[in-house]
Structures are given as C-alpha cells and as structure tokens.
C-alpha cells in the first residue's frame, strides 16, 4: 500500500515538474493575431504575455477606432493564447497523473 502511495506521490511530483517545463516552453510560443483588415497586428505568447503591437498609420487618425481595434484584436489574441495554454498544460497534467480509482473518466 505504501509503495503504491510513494509511487503515486513521485508521479505527481514528476508531473508538476513537466507542467512547469511546459509553462516555460509556452513563453517561447508566439501567436499572431490581426484585425480583419490587417490594420492592427499583435503578437502574444501562449502564456498571454503581449510581445508586440503593429498599428497602421490609418488607425492613428481616429482614437475611438484604434481603441475598438485594440480591444477586439487583443481579446482574440488572448483567447487564442488561453486555448493553446490550456490544451498544452492539460495534456501534460493528464498524461502524468497516476490512475486513482474513482477519479478517472
């Protein structure tokens, strides 16, 4: 019984380390998002850190329009990054979890 418990604890520790490695790797995964008309482009990491914003000069003429573009495009980029992050971290966590009766689906 205790051998099984120790094995499970070791597997959980290994999984935690793999999840942390995955999170660090996701800092290097760059995702690009742009407005439908390509006037605004943003780059974000899979850990949702904004890396760059490119704004076409046309958008600089209208503050409200620029703000709308930023909100829409950044929200799309954040959602894309969240989806990648969730998928990657969940896959590593699920792969490394020990089989605990009653907790698996």
């Amino acid at each position: 019984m205790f051998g099984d418990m120790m094995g499970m604890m070791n597997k959980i520790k290994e999984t935690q380390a793999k999840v942390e490695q995955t999170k660090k790797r996701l800092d290097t995964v760059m995702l690009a998002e742009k407005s439908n008309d390509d006037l605004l482009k943003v780059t974000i990491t899979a850990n949702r850190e904004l890396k760059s914003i490119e704004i076409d000069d046309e958008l600089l003429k209208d503050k409200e329009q620029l703000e709308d573009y930023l909100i829409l495009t950044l929200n799309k980029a954040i959602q894309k990054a969240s989806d990648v992050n969730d998928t990657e971290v969940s896959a590593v966590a699920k792969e490394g979890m020990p089989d605990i009766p009653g907790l698996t689906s």
Side-chain angles (χ1 to χ4, degrees):
M1 178 176 160
F2 288 112
D4 290 342
M5 184 66 85
M6 291 301 293
M8 285 193 316
M9 294 302 291
N10 286 336
K11 189 153 184 154
I12 289 171
K13 284 182 183 180
E14 288 174 18
T15 300
Q16 287 174 329
K18 287 181 182 178
V19 166
E20 289 306 314
Q21 289 172 345
T22 299
K23 287 180 180 179
K24 285 181 185 176
R25 182 179 59 76
L26 292 175
D27 279 333
T28 65
V29 175
M30 299 296 164
L31 303 167
E33 189 60 59
K34 59 185 178 180
S35 61
N36 292 336
D37 54 9
D38 292 341
L39 295 179
L40 179 70
K41 298 175 185 174
V42 298
T43 303
I44 189 169
T45 70
N47 278 330
R48 298 172 290 271
E49 182 180 339
L50 188 62
K51 290 297 185 177
S52 71
I53 298 176
E54 296 176 36
I55 302 170
D56 188 279
D57 288 343
E58 183 179 324
L59 286 176
L60 297 177
K61 299 172 188 172
D62 185 342
K63 181 180 182 276
E64 278 187 41
Q65 184 182 18
L66 175 57
E67 290 169 346
D68 290 343
Y69 270 65
L70 283 168
I71 290 168
L72 291 171
T73 306
L74 286 169
N75 280 336
K76 286 193 312 186
I78 291 167
Q79 185 59 56
K80 185 188 285 187
S82 293
D83 292 345
V84 170
N85 187 294
D86 292 347
T87 300
E88 293 286 324
V89 172
S90 294
V92 170
K94 185 175 181 179
E95 171 188 307
M97 290 303 293
D99 292 328
I100 300 173
L103 290 182
T104 56
S105 48

